Every structure is written in structure tokens, then in C-alpha cells.
Amino acid sequence: MSQSVSLQPQQCDPIAAVATPVGVGALAIVRISGKGVHELADRVFRKVNGGGPSLATSPGYTAHFGRLYDGDELVDEVIALVFRAPLSFTAEDMVEFTCHGGPVVVRQVLKLLLDNGCRLAEAGEFTRRAFLNGRIDLLQAEAIGEMIHARSESAYRTAVTQMKGDLSEKLGDLREQLLRSCALIELELDFSEEDVEFQSREELSAQIDTLRREVDKLVDSYQHGRLLSEGVATVIAGRPNAGKSTLLNTLLGQERAIVSHMPGTTRDYIEECFIYDKTMFRLTDTAGLRETGEEIEHEGIRRSRMKMAEADLILYLFDIATDKLEEEIADIRELRQTHPNARFIAVANKIDRIESSEALTEKVQQETSAEVIGISALDGKGIDFLKQRMGSLVKDLNKLHEASVLITSLRHYEALRNAADALQNAEELITRESETELIAFELRSALDYVGEITGKVVNEEILNTIFSRFCIGK
Ligand SMILES: Nc1nc2c(ncn2[C@@H]2O[C@H](COP(=O)(O)OP(=O)(O)OP(=O)(O)O)[C@@H](O)[C@H]2O)c(=O)[nH]1
Ligand SMILES: [Mg+2]
């Protein structure tokens, strides 16, 4: 099981990193954090016009205009921002140098700080220190990472809510209730010789049941949370020449995939992101599905099927003017059965090729009970409606979870599922009138799993996995 990590505020060895992206810009920020960074900064920083206190004697939250020198050689003109522990991002002493934004300048500033006693920070080390010093909990640290990497407004919004601490608060409440149940039952263990019950088993069982429902709600929100943060995995599938690549290009508004009248044009799948109504869709154009003896095409089709198996949404495209409509209907039926977890839209393409498409789309809808939308990927007819329907699939899920906070990370999802299992075990043990030790063990496990999420109980391995995903300087 996990072990606790010390959460005592502490000042670790001085680290330095560039906090802004690599490249040319007006300004860049190089920051240093840890024990003795103010004195260290004073060795290379001289105020313009002299005078005033050194950085080491300046109060926190003060800005100082000056120059950085390597010996007598000027490196850059900068603003130094002084932070004093614990009132800084890492809760340690910090200095942020705002320097000029060229890649060479920034490298020279960083080198100067490294030469004068700093070590180059590891990925996420600043945020890791903020967590270890109790400035933020693990959920908030992860939210910062997710916010930085957000590619759609929905992903960004979800991360902001998490950073604000809504989920932390919710889990904190859960943990507190669990602790109370745990404490009472563990008290019974201490008095085991006297055979006392501090709380009736019915009461305990009812409490655990309420808690489990709360945990289950969070577990269920993962499906939606994941779609918002990672984007909706959307696969465009169908027979060769159905117009899949044309649809991809139309949705993206650019000629991304090769389109041709030759069946079997797309061999390997193509992935691109597309944002609609603040939600990101990860579109995958796939190789057309058909029997083939050709080796490369065969591999392409294997990959199409693999992508469909991972899809949140399948857009199955077919040519409405085909003379093989019955075969398409059979395929749609089969695909819906073999992919019960994916949302499914049957897209009748090339409606420009026939006079009226309604009767045919109706027929497909009736015989497959799939949602059917008629479009022309070529001239754009019906595309807006298709986009709206794609958006509303996500909105439907939205309504389900309107009030509650969302789980967006697999790590949280797994921990909560384990917690729910442990609570269920505890309930079963109570029903079977099992020994107090066993019930207490399950409750304690549930408590640990919930604690793992916010970092109340955590091990080095989890921390390494989380913070290695950050960039250096964050
Ligand atoms: N009339 C008409 N032709 C279309 C439409 N959409 C695609 N096409 C044509 O259909 C042909 C095949 O289009 P693609 O987009 O390459 O089809 P695909 O499904 O990607 O085909 P594969 O990659 O071979 O599986 C091209 O000649 C397109 O111009 C449409 O809405 N109307
Ligand atoms: Mg194609």
C-alpha cells in the first residue's frame, strides 16, 4: 500500500529553469527557487543606478530593475521579482527574472544562474515543490498541467474548475465522512474484549451506502470528463470511395487528406483535431472497408477496425446513390452491434447525386434504428447539421452531470473505482456479519484510495508519473 510523503514546508536545493516557451519573443522568464536563491541572485544582479537594498534584504513581492553580469560582462538587462517563502508558487524563496526573449539571451541567463549554484530543474519540479510544501494538492497540481495542455475551451474550463479546488473539496468531504466511519469501527477494535458497538451495523451500512453512491457518481462522470479533456475520439469509417477523406477535409476546412475517385485511396489512418462549440473532436479518417488481397490495404483496414474499437463516436459514411444499399444496411446493423459503447451516426453522403434523398435515409433509419444524416461532403450541404448533432452528443452527457464535478483523469477514475469496490466489500461484510477487523480493513482501503487522489496518501511512483508530464520550468 502507499506510504505518506512528508508535507512539511521545506527549502530544497536551488533550481533554475526557463518558464516561457522556447523561441523569439519580446520577453522571457527565467526563475529560480530554493534555499539561498536571493543571495545567489545578488552575486549576478546589479541594480541600475545602484542604491537600494540587495535582493536578499528586499521584501517579498518587490520588483527591481537591473543588469545581470557574468563577472564584468553584461549578460542582459532584466526585472527581478523577489518572492519570500512561503508566499511564492513553490512556497520557497524565489526570484523571477524577466529578460529579453531571444533563445540565445535566455540560454545565457540560464547558464549564468547554473554556473552560480543552481541546478537545472526537472520537468514539473516547481509544481512538485508547491505540492510537497502543501501549497496545492495533487489534484490542483495536475489541473495546472491539464490547463497548460488544454486544446479546447471545454478542456480549459474543466481544468480551471479542478485548479480552483472544487473536486478537492468534494473529495475532502468524502474523505472526512469515511474517516468518521473508520474511526468508530477502529475504536471498536480497541475495545474488542468488551464486545461493544459504537454505531449500529445498520447505521454504518447506510452510511457506507450513501458514500458509495457519491463515489459511483464521480466514477460515472469520467466518461464525460474524459471527452472534455482529451477530446471525442471520432472515427470516419465506411467503404472505399464513400467520401470519408472528403468529409475530413470539409470538417477541417482544409485539403488535409488525398481525395480521389479510385477506391482504396486512403491506406493509413489520418488524425486531426477539430473544434466545434468549444469541444474538441479527434477526427480519424480511415482506409475504406472491403475484402482485399492486397497486403498494404489489408493492414490499413486492420487499423481502421482498431480505431473503430477505440472510438467514442463513429461516423459511418455511405454513398446514398449506391446500388448496394442493402449491404450497407447490413453493415450498419453489424457495426452497431459490435460497437455498443460508441455513439453512432450513419452519414448518407453524396445527396447531391440524387434528386431526393429523404425516402432512402428514412429506409436506412428504419431498418437499422441508427441516426441517419444526409450530407454532401463535396458541396457542404448538411454539414452544419452534422456538426450540430456531433456537438449535441457531448451536450447530452453534459446534462447528465450538470451539477456535479467531473473526473477527467484515468488515475482518479481508477482510484475511485477501487474505493467504490472497497466500500461495496465493506457493505457485504456487514450483511454477512463478518468480523470487525475485515470491515475496518475495507474502510481503511477506501480511505487510502480517496486520499491517493488529492495526495494525502501518495507514493513516489505516482508523483514521478504525474510530474514527468509537465514541462521543465513548470
Ligand atoms: N458527388 C459527390 N462526390 C463526392 C462526395 N464526396 C466525395 N465525393 C467523391 O467521391 C470520391 C471518393 O472520395 P474520397 O473522399 O477519396 O473517398 P474515401 O471514402 O476517402 O475513399 P477511400 O480513401 O478510397 O476509402 C472522390 O471522387 C470525391 O470527389 C459528395 O458529397 N458528392
Ligand atoms: Mg480516403
Side-chain angles (χ1 to χ4, degrees):
M1 179 93 335
S2 310
Q3 61 196 138
S4 288
V5 171
S6 157
L7 293 180
Q8 287 303 309
Q10 51 185 322
Q11 298 245 14
C12 296
D13 63 321
I15 50 171
V18 184
T20 40
V22 188
V24 178
L27 299 170
I29 294 172
V30 180
R31 57 181 177 176
I32 55 180
S33 176
K35 204 169 179 185
V37 289
H38 297 145
E39 290 76 10
L40 190 153
D42 273 333
R43 290 207 285 276
V44 293
F45 178 81
R46 286 181 223 158
K47 286 193 176 176
V48 170
N49 305 327
S54 65
L55 298 183
T57 53
S58 297
Y61 298 147
T62 51
H64 309 265
F65 177 47
R67 290 179 177 155
L68 290 175
Y69 283 92
D70 186 0
D72 287 330
E73 203 172 317
L74 176 65
V75 177
D76 193 14
E77 214 162 68
V78 300
I79 300 281
L81 214 59
V82 173
F83 298 88
R84 295 205 160 270
L87 301 177
S88 76
F89 177 65
T90 54
E92 299 177 331
D93 285 339
M94 282 183 78
V95 181
E96 277 183 14
F97 294 104
T98 304
C99 58
H100 291 102
V104 181
V105 185
V106 171
R107 208 163 47 231
Q108 293 305 316
V109 170
L110 184 63
K111 181 175 175 297
L112 180 69
L113 295 166
L114 297 180
D115 288 346
N116 280 277
C118 282
R119 157 173 78 71
L120 186 64
E122 288 167 21
E125 197 169 359
F126 285 87
T127 315
R128 185 183 184 126
R129 288 186 178 188
F131 162 69
L132 289 174
N133 284 329
R135 257 264 299 124
I136 50 175
D137 70 23
L138 206 49
L139 268 175
Q140 290 170 310
E142 285 172 294
I144 293 172
E146 282 186 25
M147 192 172 78
I148 292 172
H149 291 116
R151 286 195 284 174
S152 69
E153 207 175 313
S154 301
Y156 157 76
R157 281 272 151 237
T158 319
V160 168
T161 312
Q162 189 171 316
M163 188 177 66
K164 222 169 64 186
D166 290 9
L167 185 55
S168 308
E169 205 174 300
K170 173 99 199 156
L171 292 174
D173 285 351
L174 268 177
R175 207 166 173 273
E176 210 146 281
Q177 291 171 45
L178 258 171
L179 259 175
R180 242 174 280 145
S181 303
C182 247
L184 282 177
I185 203 149
E186 281 174 2
L187 206 59
E188 275 179 29
L189 288 177
D190 293 342
F191 287 85
S192 55
E193 255 128 69
E194 284 145 61
D195 196 21
V196 282
E197 260 186 26
F198 287 92
Q199 189 181 30
S200 81
R201 287 292 182 263
E202 290 79 50
E203 244 181 285
L204 181 63
S205 187
Q207 260 173 22
I208 297 175
D209 196 53
T210 314
L211 281 172
R212 191 175 51 81
R213 277 170 211 275
E214 292 281 312
V215 175
D216 279 344
K217 260 195 234 161
L218 285 173
V219 169
D220 288 344
S221 76
Y222 176 61
Q223 194 197 0
H224 183 216
R226 186 182 61 81
L227 293 189
L228 290 186
S229 66
E230 289 176 15
V232 184
T234 307
V235 173
I236 308 175
R239 292 175 183 236
N241 254 0
K244 301 179 293 299
S245 301
T246 311
L247 176 61
L248 176 86
N249 292 345
T250 304
L251 286 173
L252 294 177
Q254 55 164 298
E255 298 303 306
R256 170 66 181 83
I258 301 174
V259 165
S260 101
H261 65 279
M262 307 261 295
T265 302
T266 307
R267 297 299 190 91
D268 206 351
Y269 60 83
I270 299 172
E271 287 184 317
E272 285 295 332
C273 289
F274 153 72
I275 295 185
Y276 178 75
D277 197 13
K278 300 176 192 166
T279 302
M280 187 170 78
F281 292 83
R282 287 184 286 121
L283 294 176
T284 307
D285 174 24
T286 58
L289 304 167
R290 67 171 170 187
E291 293 297 326
T292 177
E294 212 262 307
E295 203 178 329
I296 298 175
E297 191 179 1
H298 187 269
E299 174 58 20
I301 292 171
R302 190 189 68 79
R303 291 180 187 198
S304 303
R305 296 200 183 280
M306 182 185 82
K307 283 287 154 189
M308 274 197 281
E310 296 166 357
D312 298 311
L313 168 64
I314 297 176
L315 300 178
Y316 181 83
L317 223 66
F318 63 96
D319 183 345
I320 191 77
T322 177
D323 51 7
K324 293 185 180 144
L325 197 63
E326 293 305 327
E327 285 178 32
E328 293 285 11
I329 288 174
D331 285 353
I332 292 172
R333 279 214 195 109
E334 193 194 323
L335 280 174
R336 290 197 68 207
Q337 266 174 13
T338 45
H339 300 82
N341 295 326
R343 310 264 154 161
F344 193 97
I345 300 178
V347 184
N349 191 28
K350 309 196 187 182
I351 53 170
D352 56 288
R353 287 184 64 196
I354 56 173
E355 210 147 282
S356 166
S357 57
E358 273 93 49
L360 287 173
T361 50
E362 188 104 327
K363 174 181 160 72
V364 178
Q365 189 139 13
Q366 265 169 10
E367 292 185 24
T368 62
S369 56
E371 173 173 9
V372 186
I373 297 175
I375 64 157
S376 166
L378 200 63
D379 68 19
K381 208 163 164 205
I383 293 290
D384 282 344
F385 183 64
L386 175 65
K387 286 185 193 169
Q388 267 177 38
R389 289 300 303 147
M390 287 166 69
S392 60
L393 292 179
V394 182
K395 286 238 173 63
D396 289 349
L397 279 168
N398 228 340
K399 275 187 212 123
L400 281 178
H401 300 288
E402 216 153 31
S404 59
V405 280
L406 293 173
I407 294 293
T408 57
S409 120
L410 185 60
R411 185 181 82 80
H412 307 160
Y413 171 75
E414 282 179 345
L416 284 168
R417 251 197 14 200
N418 288 334
D421 285 349
L423 289 174
Q424 193 170 356
N425 291 344
E427 278 185 78
E428 279 166 19
L429 288 168
I430 294 173
T431 315
R432 280 191 265 127
E433 296 180 10
S434 299
E435 286 156 55
T436 311
E437 278 96 338
L438 299 179
I439 304 169
F441 175 80
E442 293 296 345
L443 286 181
R444 183 52 66 182
S445 305
L447 193 62
D448 282 351
Y449 284 125
V450 175
E452 254 179 33
I453 301 176
T454 49
K456 286 262 186 263
V457 187
V458 83
N459 63 36
E460 276 297 318
E461 204 184 325
I462 295 179
L463 290 187
N464 290 340
T465 321
I466 291 172
F467 291 107
S468 64
R469 287 204 297 259
F470 278 68
C471 31
I472 290 172
K474 191 60 230 171

